[in-house]
Amino acid sequence: MRILTLVALLWLSGCVSENQGGNFSTEFDQSEAAKTRISLGLTYLKNGNYTQAKMNLDKALSFAPRLADTHYGLAYYYQVVGEAERAREAYETAMSLAPRNADIANSYGAFLCQQGDYEAAKTFFLQAVNSRQYANSAATYENMALCAQSQGQGEDAIEYLNSALKHQPGRAKTLFILTEMYVATEQYELAEQTLRKYEKVARVSPDSLWLAIEIATGKGDILTANGYGDMLLTMYPDSPLTKLYIDRQQKLPQPVIKVKTKPQRVEEPLSVGIGALKASKSDDADMQEPATQNEDETVQTQLAPETAVAQISESTNSGSVAENVDSDTVKYHIVQPKENLYRLSLKYNIKLDTLKAWNNLGNNGDIKIGTKLWLVPPAEQTQ
């Protein structure tokens, strides 16, 4: 019995107690308790349990109302649930309590960018990266780039992405976004160099193969573009980008390739690309003897729709392939945060140059949040 009493006393002495008047015992560490509640609150928020998230964050506030992290956690909560004004107030309080906290400055910058306040966001982003003890400069520069991109500041975005890579050269996400930006601005040589760096640190994906196709096509390298297209078809047959690739190949005018020939039997049909080099025996049996020509003469061969490669050039731009939009399609798109012209051209299957022409955009293709982007020719555009 004495042993049980001793155990009970020891247990009681180790417990954190709070009296009925709301005052905490001298052994209670309010700051640590608040941090525990913040962690619990953010975990509940991540799991979608907003009620428990708010309850724990409010409890943290009662434990440590002067702790910057408490207001930081509440700011993020309000940001997630869409209460922008209360989120701004909580961020301001957190920054006033910890003006040198680079993590809070970075998050506040991201929040301000979502609200469309680019200049204010830029101020807090720079405050974060200029902090001497901040280890996430690459991530912040990437946030700055995405913010600049959403506001139509394409040149700033490219500059920030390159700054991010100076801090973390092998950051895959940054390399991929930078490649997209170079493709969108038709800087194909730089896009190719950046994509090669990306391929060294990341696995091949439908998105990376699509970028490779766009780069090769932009450079006029039909054979390489077709090879990447065959890889996309073989490795990711069910990808939405694969379907987009097939649809585009079937719609675009097929290029005609002139080939030197000699007066001899052709053993297999002429085609271009990795997958197209295989011909079955039945195909061989159906082949006919080509007409004999002089060596200096040429044979014009039309590539099949599934193997031909889209050519983005002046000749194809004058065509009416991607420009033909069905009457029941959406006629315009309102630009959202983190969108760029390149991704929208993929989404709506409209050539980049066509979107620029329809919307009177410059070579950089800069667009801003809230911009009304026309997806139909000027003659079909109505207010």
Side-chain angles (χ1 to χ4, degrees):
M1 185 66 177
R2 292 178 61 186
I3 294 176
L4 292 175
T5 302
L6 179 61
V7 170
L9 289 172
L10 290 172
W11 181 80
L12 288 172
S13 66
C15 290
V16 173
S17 62
E18 179 184 351
N19 63 30
Q20 294 181 351
N23 297 320
F24 301 99
S25 68
T26 56
E27 297 179 0
F28 183 73
D29 190 333
Q30 296 181 353
S31 179
E32 287 301 318
K35 291 178 181 179
T36 300
R37 290 289 185 171
I38 293 170
S39 179
L40 283 171
L42 294 178
T43 300
Y44 279 121
L45 185 61
K46 180 180 179 181
N47 294 331
N49 191 336
Y50 295 166
T51 301
Q52 287 294 324
K54 185 63 163 55
M55 185 187 73
N56 278 279
L57 291 171
D58 285 342
K59 198 68 174 177
L61 185 63
S62 69
F63 287 158
R66 300 292 299 172
L67 182 65
D69 284 346
T70 303
H71 297 276
Y72 182 20
L74 281 167
Y76 184 64
Y77 169 82
Y78 289 129
Q79 182 177 346
V80 170
V81 299
E83 296 190 38
E85 193 56 39
R86 300 186 73 175
R88 185 187 294 267
E89 293 175 359
Y91 272 122
E92 289 287 353
T93 303
M95 289 301 304
S96 67
L97 293 170
R100 297 182 180 179
N101 190 312
D103 290 314
I104 298 177
N106 174 62
S107 295
Y108 192 20
F111 166 76
L112 290 171
C113 182
Q114 287 184 346
Q115 304 307 306
D117 195 346
Y118 175 59
E119 291 302 323
K122 185 177 177 180
T123 298
F124 284 98
F125 282 140
L126 291 175
Q127 181 176 329
V129 297
N130 289 331
S131 177
R132 293 182 179 180
Q133 296 181 337
Y134 188 50
N136 296 319
S137 294
T140 298
Y141 273 119
E142 186 178 283
N143 284 341
M144 291 176 68
L146 293 172
C147 183
Q149 183 187 61
S150 69
Q151 298 298 313
Q153 306 292 330
E155 293 182 1
D156 285 353
I158 291 175
E159 179 183 347
Y160 295 142
L161 290 169
N162 279 303
S163 294
L165 292 174
K166 291 178 182 178
H167 289 270
Q168 193 175 339
R171 187 175 175 85
K173 182 180 177 182
T174 302
L175 288 167
F176 188 85
I177 297 172
L178 183 57
T179 304
E180 281 189 325
M181 290 296 298
Y182 281 142
V183 170
T185 55
E186 300 180 5
Q187 300 181 65
Y188 296 115
E189 290 294 341
L190 290 173
E192 185 175 36
Q193 295 171 18
T194 308
L195 184 60
R196 296 291 84 80
K197 294 177 182 177
Y198 171 81
E199 291 171 342
K200 293 179 179 179
V201 297
R203 299 179 62 181
V204 174
S205 67
D207 296 284
S208 66
L209 287 174
W210 181 269
L211 282 177
I213 294 170
E214 292 288 271
I215 292 168
T217 303
K219 294 175 64 177
D221 189 346
I222 297 177
L223 292 176
T224 300
N226 195 49
Y228 283 121
D230 286 340
M231 289 176 64
L232 183 63
L233 291 166
T234 302
M235 298 174 65
Y236 304 100
D238 299 324
S239 169
L241 286 175
T242 303
K243 183 180 183 303
L244 181 60
Y245 175 76
I246 294 173
D247 289 344
R248 190 173 74 171
Q249 299 312 102
Q250 291 176 341
K251 292 178 181 178
L252 287 175
Q254 306 309 318
V256 174
I257 297 180
K258 297 182 178 181
V259 182
K260 294 282 185 176
T261 61
K262 293 183 178 181
Q264 60 182 15
R265 178 181 178 82
V266 178
E267 298 298 332
E268 59 182 50
L270 174 65
S271 47
V272 180
I274 298 173
L277 294 179
K278 299 179 181 179
S280 63
K281 293 183 178 180
S282 59
D283 292 335
D284 291 337
D286 295 335
M287 291 177 58
Q288 298 179 357
E289 185 80 8
T292 301
Q293 297 180 336
N294 295 329
E295 186 173 350
D296 292 334
E297 295 179 341
T298 60
V299 174
Q300 293 187 342
T301 304
Q302 186 89 15
L303 298 184
E306 65 271 16
T307 59
V309 176
Q311 298 183 72
I312 301 179
S313 61
E314 294 182 358
S315 60
T316 56
N317 285 341
S318 61
S320 58
V321 181
E323 291 86 339
N324 290 336
V325 180
D326 296 335
S327 59
D328 59 346
T329 59
V330 179
K331 291 192 174 183
Y332 65 87
H333 173 88
I334 303 300
V335 178
Q336 303 299 312
K338 298 184 180 180
E339 290 184 334
N340 61 46
L341 199 65
Y342 172 72
R343 293 185 181 182
L344 292 176
S345 72
L346 295 184
K347 179 177 180 179
Y348 293 104
N349 194 20
I350 302 174
K351 288 186 292 183
L352 199 63
D353 288 341
T354 301
L355 277 179
K356 291 179 184 178
W358 286 351
N359 293 276
N360 295 319
L361 299 176
N363 290 332
N364 288 337
D366 291 340
I367 52 178
K368 296 183 178 180
I369 294 176
T371 298
K372 187 176 186 179
L373 191 70
W374 288 105
L375 306 175
V376 293
E380 301 178 25
Q381 297 175 9
T382 56
Q383 298 300 325

